Amino acid sequence: MGKHKNDRIKKWVICLVGALALAACTYHTPDEDWEKNGRVRLLLDWQTRAQPLVMTYHFYKDGTGSPVVRRGDALRYEGTLPAGYYKVVVCNTDCENVLLETENGYDGACGRARQVSSLKSSPVLIAQPGNLYSTGCEQIDIGGEEIAVRELSPASLVRRLELNIKITSGETGEVVQCEKLTGRLTGLSPGVYLSSGKPFTSTSAFVVFESELTSSGVYTTIQNLFSLPEKDAGSSPICLLLDMELADGKEVSTLIDITEEIGKAFIENTFSVILDLTVKYDEINGLTVLLAEWKKGNEGSGVVDP
């Protein structure tokens, strides 16, 4: 009797082991259903540019508005997605003073500079944007076990404008120091599209700043901006407003259009521009601004000093 019982137990064990082995051979995780899913690998080529630590990968399937979102590092993403045709936006989320909007489709994905004032006005006062990198991929076919591979080149969407302002006497030509030199840049774009890097053209924004006096007697300020619209986009001119307070409390102001000076450089994807200005002051004519020269800053430095 005991022998027959042991034989039955052995048979059950053999059957159970066989069933488990068969299941192990035929079972696949849901992601490995290659009729419904596919594998993708995105490689990011930064060349010599600065890069954030983490990037977010937004996959827009067949023109849908809301993306499938994946997290990856700054060099690559590899994973499985439902099969289909996708457009992809890749950007970092640790940007400064930028609100990311990614629920309006591939072409509508954008970053907006934080609005400083809650007042509804046009143009709007914005904070300086910073540390925003992005790139886009128009189409990638994901499906099957074979990995779909694309190499993309992210770029900084923030430009760096350095203003060096030298104030001289209109009568003697000597350097003049004031109590305070503040300013405003108008005609700026409040946002940028993540897939193309192109700025908004339908609305206008401005920033305000205070300059610092250097040991050489020159006032300097560094502003972070989105790229500038092209001339034929119907956008406002880029104007620099300077307010100078003299030692006796007198205040004088001037306004100059600098669209030509910085527009071409930024449109040509120069990420850093240095603009040297000479401001002549006399009691009769007030302030007169002259462009000394403009030059490219350090290429590829993005929004940080290399």
Side-chain angles (χ1 to χ4, degrees):
M1 183 70 176
K3 182 178 180 181
H4 290 300
K5 184 177 181 180
N6 290 335
D7 291 341
R8 286 198 300 271
I9 293 175
K10 290 180 181 179
K11 289 180 180 179
W12 278 107
V13 170
I14 293 172
C15 291
L16 180 61
V17 171
L20 291 175
L22 180 62
C25 293
T26 59
Y27 175 75
H28 295 279
T29 63
D31 284 350
E32 293 177 347
D33 185 347
W34 302 123
E35 293 184 0
K36 297 181 179 180
N37 300 318
R39 302 171 65 188
V40 60
R41 179 187 298 146
L42 299 179
L43 306 174
L44 302 185
D45 180 14
W46 294 89
Q47 299 180 5
T48 59
R49 293 185 293 269
Q51 57 188 260
L53 296 177
V54 178
M55 298 291 281
T56 303
Y57 299 75
H58 303 79
F59 295 87
Y60 297 88
K61 183 180 181 182
D62 300 328
T64 56
S66 297
V68 177
V69 181
R70 296 286 190 267
R71 299 267 288 182
D73 59 34
L75 298 178
R76 60 185 288 160
Y77 167 79
E78 183 170 337
T80 303
L81 291 171
Y85 291 95
Y86 289 85
K87 294 182 178 182
V88 188
V89 167
V90 184
C91 67
N92 63 309
T93 58
D94 60 342
C95 41
E96 301 167 5
N97 294 324
V98 177
L99 174 64
L100 297 176
E101 299 179 2
T102 58
E103 295 295 322
N104 297 315
Y106 174 81
D107 294 324
C110 65
R112 295 179 184 271
R114 180 174 61 84
Q115 188 171 332
V116 174
S117 174
S118 60
L119 297 176
K120 294 183 179 180
S121 60
S122 182
V124 295
L125 173 62
I126 60 173
Q128 292 189 50
N131 191 44
L132 177 59
Y133 301 86
S134 183
T135 186
C137 177
E138 284 286 349
Q139 181 170 303
I140 182 170
D141 182 8
I142 299 175
E145 188 172 3
E146 184 177 350
I147 301 179
V149 181
R150 290 288 188 277
E151 184 174 87
L152 307 176
S153 298
S156 171
L157 301 188
V158 177
R159 308 298 198 246
R160 182 177 185 268
L161 174 63
E162 178 180 334
L163 295 174
N164 297 316
I165 306 166
K166 182 179 181 181
I167 304 175
T168 62
S169 169
E171 299 175 352
T172 65
E174 296 179 351
V175 175
V176 175
Q177 291 189 3
C178 60
E179 288 296 312
K180 182 189 295 184
L181 183 65
T182 59
R184 174 184 297 192
L185 277 172
T186 66
L188 306 178
S189 175
V192 63
Y193 293 103
L194 299 176
S195 60
S196 63
K198 293 184 177 180
F200 294 175
T201 58
S202 58
T203 55
S204 180
F206 68 94
V207 295
V208 295
F209 62 85
E210 292 187 6
S211 61
E212 296 183 3
L213 179 62
T214 65
S215 58
S216 61
V218 174
Y219 294 86
T220 185
T221 181
I222 296 176
Q223 302 298 306
N224 293 333
L225 320 168
F226 290 129
S227 183
L228 304 179
E230 298 183 10
K231 291 182 181 179
D232 57 359
S235 56
S236 303
I238 313 300
C239 293
L240 171 64
L241 172 66
L242 293 177
D243 293 312
M244 184 174 72
E245 181 181 339
L246 301 174
D248 59 4
K250 184 178 180 180
E251 296 183 0
V252 289
S253 301
T254 189
L255 179 70
I256 180 175
D257 186 335
I258 59 172
T259 307
E260 292 290 335
E261 284 72 21
I262 66 173
K264 182 179 179 181
F266 280 149
I267 290 172
E268 292 177 349
N269 290 325
T270 299
F271 290 96
S272 181
V273 172
I274 300 173
L275 190 63
D276 293 335
L277 302 169
T278 298
V279 178
K280 292 185 177 182
Y281 168 72
D282 62 64
E283 295 185 357
I284 298 177
N285 298 315
L287 298 177
T288 303
V289 181
L290 303 174
L291 174 65
E293 67 172 327
W294 75 265
K295 51 185 177 288
K296 293 182 178 181
N298 292 292
E299 287 292 343
S301 61
V303 296
V304 295
D305 290 326

